Amino acid sequence: MPLHKFVCQQGKAADAAFNGFDMPGCYLIAKYQKGDHDKNYSDYLGIFVGSSEHMSDDIVSIPTRLGDPDVYADYKYHQNVMLFVFPCELKDLNERRELLLRSFAGERLYNGVRASVGKVADGSL
């Protein structure tokens, strides 16, 4: 789902009694070159790996000035930014995040690999 669409839906859902992503899980926010990436999700230009006990609140905070600066810039300048959500049980959260960080380690990972893996190792999110 496009990140912009998710943020707009969450604004509306905040007023509702049910919030669809108020659960633990991991998520990816990825920037793509073209508007239509031909269903090849591996051609991302940059990617952010996140996790939270309450994904909806965390995801909405990432593309702000207080969140990740790269995601904020991509979102602010209306780049092609997609959101991928992976719900999981709270007990599996750190392990899943670590696996995602290892899978996407490299220059295109927005959250620095050392800092992100360090967070997982410390047990903090």
Side-chain angles (χ1 to χ4, degrees):
M1 144 183 305
L3 181 60
H4 180 74
K5 182 177 178 181
F6 178 84
V7 172
C8 289
Q9 286 179 349
Q10 289 306 113
K12 294 175 186 175
D15 298 332
F18 176 74
N19 188 337
F21 288 106
D22 189 21
M23 63 183 80
C26 297
Y27 57 90
L28 302 173
I29 299 174
K31 175 185 171 184
Y32 292 93
Q33 181 72 26
K34 317 179 242 182
D36 180 13
H37 42 75
D38 301 323
K39 304 295 184 219
N40 180 4
Y41 295 109
S42 65
D43 66 347
Y44 59 90
L45 299 173
I47 195 161
F48 177 85
V49 176
S51 65
S52 177
E53 292 182 29
H54 304 280
M55 283 191 297
S56 58
D57 294 337
D58 202 52
I59 293 168
V60 172
S61 71
I62 296 299
T64 67
R65 288 180 190 245
L66 301 176
D68 184 80
D70 293 314
V71 175
Y72 171 68
D74 293 342
Y75 183 78
K76 180 180 177 182
Y77 295 109
H78 305 286
Q79 300 297 311
N80 185 26
V81 182
M82 300 292 289
L83 171 66
F84 303 92
V85 179
F86 306 97
C88 67
E89 293 186 34
L90 187 57
K91 65 181 176 67
D92 300 327
L93 191 62
N94 288 336
E95 179 183 349
R96 299 262 173 113
R97 183 170 192 264
E98 184 177 349
L99 289 171
L100 286 169
L101 285 167
R102 287 181 183 163
S103 298
F104 295 102
E107 294 177 8
R108 298 184 292 173
L109 183 64
Y110 283 162
N111 39 349
V113 178
R114 291 182 204 140
S116 300
V117 173
K119 283 184 180 180
V120 172
D122 292 342
S124 61
L125 296 177

